[in-house]
Amino acid sequence: MDNKYKIKLGISIGDTNGIGPEVIVKTLSDNRILNYCTPVIYGSAAILNKVRKALHSEHFNYQQADSAQALAPRKVNLITCWDNDLEMNPGTPTPESGKASLDSLLAASRDLKAGFLDGLVTAPINKDNIQAEEFKFPGHTEFLTSYFDAPESLMLLVSGDLRVATVTGHLPLKDVSGKITEQLLIRKLTILLNSLRNDFGILKPRVAVLGLNPHAGEQGLLGTEDVEIIRPTIMQMKERGHLVFGPYPADGFFGMQQYRQVDAVLAMYHDQGLIPFKTLAFESGVNYTAGLPIVRTSPDHGTAYDIAAKHIANETSFREALFLACDIIRKRQLEANPAV
């Protein structure tokens, strides 16, 4: 790798009836992004042309590529994943839009696994209409963890110095308590600490762990998981030399802005971490999948069917996802080639 090498960044288009195509076109209308990477959209010319026309985005241009092995440098590239007769029904999830989102994701994932891409940014999917023989997962995170043969991964929400990870992901709340074990906590904390060091360049990361129950269990009065599982695990990680603290009552922790004193926060379940994160950083937040051999980011919002085709979608989160992917890829490349 030399200093002039441009990162090849795959972009899966997401559900074509959501805001994915819109935020992609808006983001890539700023040609300065080509100074950082070579974007490769997996979709179709018809979809991009319709969105470009609707947005009057005269600065958005792309080059069709036959494959990821024949990309045009310093241009946005498009790899066609389906026939151009796919009908767009903005705001309405359809079987066709679900299949298109899967075709895009599979094609981008194949090229990433083959080494033709350096990373992947995924636009939002509908977790229901994407279901198929090749995709029987709750979401992107679980699919990519399986596809790239990772033993474990971690959902890590990032906005500047605010980083919030979750022990459990897309799981019914009634099942969370039974999943919280010492072994799972150690695995998730290990992934988080390694990612903070290797992907974010924090040499001695500090991590705060939230309690599962109100008031972190109130010494067992409001649940025993905090006393019997979470606290002993934290002590064990401390004995290994890690700066891990807690468990903290989640409400007071965020209310008193204690997250400013650490490099990352580990929440026990999805909404415990994502509600405060999105309250603090909804427009700029990025979802990063830590623990994978590849780099994958996405915006921290969903398909937003309610505003699809209204042309008011904010592309900030998608743009930040693209830049974070580039930053982490570059860090990994420099780690592998320190002389460069």
Side-chain angles (χ1 to χ4, degrees):
M1 184 191 76
D2 59 47
N3 291 329
K4 294 181 180 179
Y5 177 82
K6 286 291 185 297
I7 291 166
K8 297 172 183 175
L9 200 56
I11 298 173
S12 60
I13 203 166
D15 191 298
T16 52
N17 291 333
I19 63 170
E22 178 180 341
V23 296
I24 290 170
V25 170
K26 284 181 173 179
T27 298
L28 299 181
S29 291
D30 187 340
N31 291 326
R32 289 176 296 181
I33 283 174
L34 298 175
N35 294 325
Y36 296 89
C37 66
T38 297
V40 188
I41 304 172
Y42 288 77
S44 77
I47 297 291
L48 295 182
N49 291 342
K50 285 178 184 177
V51 175
R52 175 172 58 184
K53 183 177 180 181
L55 295 174
H56 307 290
S57 297
E58 64 271 11
H59 295 297
F60 174 74
N61 296 290
Y62 62 89
Q63 179 80 34
Q64 295 204 52
D66 292 333
S67 72
Q69 296 168 270
L71 301 177
R74 295 196 59 79
K75 294 196 181 284
V76 176
N77 287 258
L78 167 67
I79 292 180
T80 301
C81 297
W82 59 78
D83 295 334
N84 281 333
D85 59 356
L86 176 68
E87 184 178 351
M88 290 185 74
N89 294 286
T92 304
T94 63
E96 291 76 19
S97 67
K99 184 178 185 307
S101 66
L102 179 57
D103 289 343
S104 171
L105 177 61
L106 289 175
S109 298
R110 282 193 294 266
D111 283 346
L112 183 55
K113 181 176 269 192
F116 302 135
L117 302 173
D118 298 303
L120 175 64
V121 181
T122 59
I125 57 172
N126 179 309
K127 294 176 176 61
D128 180 41
N129 72 357
I130 195 175
Q131 296 296 320
E133 191 63 35
E134 306 96 323
F135 193 103
K136 295 180 179 179
F137 301 92
H140 277 120
T141 300
E142 296 82 0
F143 165 75
L144 292 167
T145 303
S146 172
Y147 190 85
F148 288 96
D149 301 314
E152 193 99 49
S153 65
L154 179 74
M155 181 188 296
L156 178 57
L157 282 297
V158 180
S159 178
D161 291 333
L162 175 63
R163 304 175 190 91
V164 179
T166 63
V167 175
T168 59
H170 300 117
L171 189 71
L173 191 57
K174 65 182 177 62
D175 297 335
V176 169
S177 176
K179 290 289 186 181
I180 303 298
T181 64
E182 178 182 306
Q183 293 77 17
L184 180 63
L185 287 172
I186 289 175
R187 294 200 303 270
K188 296 294 186 177
L189 279 167
T190 300
I191 293 172
L192 178 56
L193 290 164
N194 286 340
S195 182
L196 291 170
R197 283 189 289 265
N198 300 330
D199 297 332
F200 295 89
I202 302 170
L203 296 180
K204 196 66 176 173
R206 299 159 298 167
V207 173
V209 179
L210 302 182
L212 174 65
N213 298 293
H215 307 291
E218 201 74 81
Q219 299 303 315
L221 182 66
L222 302 177
T224 60
E225 294 90 348
D226 300 279
V227 174
E228 296 179 357
I229 300 172
I230 301 173
R231 189 180 301 277
T233 304
I234 292 171
M235 296 305 298
Q236 189 178 150
M237 295 299 287
K238 282 184 175 180
E239 289 170 3
R240 296 181 184 181
H242 301 298
L243 300 179
V244 178
F245 310 98
Y248 295 96
D251 55 350
F253 180 85
F254 284 101
M256 296 172 64
Q257 300 187 30
Q258 289 174 280
Y259 59 86
R260 296 182 182 276
Q261 301 168 15
V262 294
D263 299 300
V265 181
L266 183 65
M268 290 298 112
Y269 57 92
H270 186 282
D271 283 13
Q272 184 187 54
L274 269 66
I275 288 174
F277 180 87
K278 290 189 176 185
T279 300
L280 293 165
F282 185 72
E283 290 188 351
S284 62
V286 177
N287 180 2
Y288 171 56
T289 307
L292 299 183
I294 52 91
V295 174
R296 175 262 173 164
T297 64
S298 75
D300 72 346
H301 57 72
T303 53
Y305 291 123
D306 57 321
I307 61 170
K310 293 183 179 179
H311 313 140
I312 59 173
N314 189 320
E315 74 276 17
T316 304
S317 180
F318 190 88
R319 182 170 60 245
E320 291 299 317
L322 188 150
F323 283 139
L324 180 61
C326 288
D327 287 344
I328 294 174
I329 291 165
R330 188 65 72 191
K331 279 189 176 68
R332 290 190 181 187
Q333 288 175 335
L334 289 173
E335 184 72 22
N337 300 275
V340 174

